[in-house]
């Protein structure tokens, strides 16, 4: 395990509207506000369509990450995230996980990494900017998984 103390910056409440493309709206907001790293303690609302990491078949290697996409429609969702900088892509790298319940299957649930989503009605989010240390998400390990790391910072 790695750890670091965080120095927090601004806190925002965001309300996404019906039809918003969730991740581009989020990353666009961060670019507009100059946010390069943040935590999202929670968000909640509905998605018309959501793409999650997952597969219906057996896993070839249970120790390897799954990159397949599964698509669900008309779900309620609650989630959380970290936003860090990808040095390989020189861009914001969101790591977002959600728990969703399908409205058409008695709220049957799925939990996974969010790939993309279209807002249905509303998504409400709280976002807290991290000022320091620098949070990075380089590709690490034998499977090149984007992994949260902390850049060293000077002691006061």
């Amino acid at each position: 395990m790695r750890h670091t103390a965080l120095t927090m910056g601004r806190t925002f409440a965001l309300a996404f509207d019906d039809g918003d493309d969730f991740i581009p709206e989020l990353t666009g907001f961060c670019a507009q506000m100059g946010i390069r790293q943040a935590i999202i303690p929670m968000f909640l609302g509905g998605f018309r369509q959501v793409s999650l990491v997952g597969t219906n078949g057996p896993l070839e290697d249970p120790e390897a990450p799954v990159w397949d996409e599964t698509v669900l429609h008309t779900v309620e969702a609650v989630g959380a995230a970290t936003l860090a900088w990808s040095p390989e892509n020189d861009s914001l790298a969101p790591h977002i996980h959600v728990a969703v319940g399908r409205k058409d299957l008695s709220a049957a649930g799925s939990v996974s990494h969010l790939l993309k989503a279209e807002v249905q009605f509303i998504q409400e989010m709280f976002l807290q900017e991290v000022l320091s240390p620098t949070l990075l998400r380089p590709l690490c390990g034998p499977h090149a998984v984007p992994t949260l790391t902390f850049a060293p910072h000077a002691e006061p």
Side-chain angles (χ1 to χ4, degrees):
M1 179 179 78
R2 294 158 282 132
H3 64 88
T4 188
L6 300 178
T7 301
M8 305 307 289
R10 301 168 290 176
T11 300
F12 297 93
L14 287 74
F16 295 76
D17 294 321
D18 187 64
D20 281 349
D21 195 345
F22 186 69
I23 294 175
E25 286 288 331
L26 174 60
T27 57
F29 168 79
C30 289
Q32 177 185 355
M33 300 305 292
I35 296 171
R36 290 177 56 108
Q37 52 197 31
I39 60 170
I40 299 170
M42 68 74 94
F43 61 90
L44 56 92
F47 289 127
R48 183 169 285 108
Q49 179 173 306
V50 62
S51 296
L52 306 176
V53 168
T55 184
N56 285 324
L59 299 176
E60 286 183 32
D61 180 357
E63 297 299 319
V66 174
W67 302 113
D68 293 344
E69 175 181 355
T70 188
V71 178
L72 303 173
H73 299 273
T74 317
V75 301
E76 292 293 324
V78 62
T82 58
L83 307 178
W85 201 256
S86 166
E88 286 86 3
N89 298 321
D90 194 30
S91 65
L92 192 63
H95 185 199
I96 305 170
H97 278 243
V98 294
V100 300
R102 288 184 47 185
K103 293 180 188 179
D104 63 337
L105 290 177
S106 302
S110 296
V111 178
S112 192
H113 177 86
L114 179 71
L115 298 171
K116 59 186 171 184
E118 179 189 347
V119 173
Q120 183 176 31
F121 309 125
I122 186 75
Q123 273 290 335
E124 300 166 356
M125 173 186 288
F126 297 99
L127 182 147
Q128 294 179 291
E129 178 182 35
V130 174
L131 297 178
S132 70
T134 300
L135 304 180
L136 299 172
R137 198 176 309 285
L139 302 177
C140 296
H143 300 289
V145 175
T147 303
L148 184 65
T149 61
F150 319 115
H153 59 283
E155 294 297 322

